[in-house]
Every structure is written in C-alpha cells, then in structure tokens.
Amino acid sequence: MKEKNKKKKQVKTQFEPETRFEVGAVAPVPFRGELETDLEQLKARLLKPLLNETADPKQSTPLRQAANEAAGLAWFTPFPLLFFPALLEEKVYAAQRQEARQRQIRKQTEGLLEKAIA
C-alpha cells in the first residue's frame, strides 16, 4: 500500500452552544373542571333507566362499561355533553348485539361438550 493512504487527517470538531428549554406536562385535553362533574352526572342520569330496564343483573356490567367507554370518547370531543348521548346509544347497542350473539352461540353449542366426551 502506498504511504499516502495511511496518513490520518485530524478534523477539528466544533459544537454550537447548548440549547435548553423547559418541557412541562401537557394534558391531552384542556382542563375542564366542572364539565367533568357534569359529564358524570349526565352519564348516571342516562344510565339509570337502562339499568332499570334490564331484567338480568349480569347485563348491568356491559351497560356500565358501554357508558364508561362513551364518556371516555366524548371527553376527547370539543363538546362532551353534546356528544355523549349519541355515543352512549351506539355503545349500548353494540353491547346488546354482543350479548345476543353470545347467547346464540351458547345455545348452539350447549351439548357439544357432552357429545365430545361420550
């Protein structure tokens, strides 16, 4: 090899002055204070008749979960109290469809385990 290729060239490094800035915790939604209480009260008021209509106590859990999901989604909208009722209706409908589907599957597969064992 040639001697030229083996020579190392030193490069002088230069750094800019360090820049610092403050980063604070940023809430994903603006602070709404009283609105949170209003949303919880609306949720309770709209959920109560749904729970009273339910004959089976097992169905209250999916309804409560649907209300919580609707409230969570509504909270990220500009007007949560306006959006919540429609979101609750959609979530309750989906929960009821899911429950009906589960009942249908249980009914169809009721005796399969006994048949498989026999």
Side-chain angles (χ1 to χ4, degrees):
M1 292 196 134
K2 294 183 179 180
E3 229 18 73
K4 286 185 196 177
N5 292 343
K6 290 187 178 184
K7 289 184 181 180
K8 294 181 182 178
K9 183 177 179 184
Q10 259 188 336
V11 178
K12 186 175 181 178
T13 56
Q14 294 179 338
F15 295 98
E16 294 294 321
E18 192 172 302
T19 304
R20 292 191 176 265
F21 53 93
E22 299 250 347
V23 178
V26 178
V29 293
F31 177 72
R32 296 180 177 168
E34 191 177 302
L35 189 58
E36 187 174 353
T37 303
D38 293 344
L39 182 60
E40 283 300 313
Q41 289 173 349
L42 178 61
K43 180 174 83 171
R45 195 172 77 234
L46 295 179
L47 187 57
K48 188 175 183 178
L50 294 172
L51 293 173
N52 290 340
E53 290 173 9
T54 305
D56 186 5
K58 291 179 186 177
Q59 291 179 345
S60 67
T61 301
L63 290 176
R64 289 180 192 280
Q65 185 176 3
N68 289 335
E69 289 175 8
L73 288 171
W75 190 248
F76 285 95
T77 66
F79 306 101
L81 296 176
L82 181 63
F83 283 92
F84 176 74
L87 290 169
L88 177 64
E89 187 178 325
E90 288 180 22
K91 291 291 185 177
V92 166
Y93 178 70
Q96 290 170 339
R97 274 194 357 246
Q98 177 68 22
E99 178 64 29
R101 177 77 176 127
Q102 287 176 346
R103 273 195 312 265
Q104 179 187 14
I105 291 171
R106 280 190 212 104
K107 186 178 179 182
Q108 289 174 347
T109 60
E110 216 169 51
L112 290 181
L113 183 60
E114 289 83 17
K115 289 178 184 177
I117 294 173

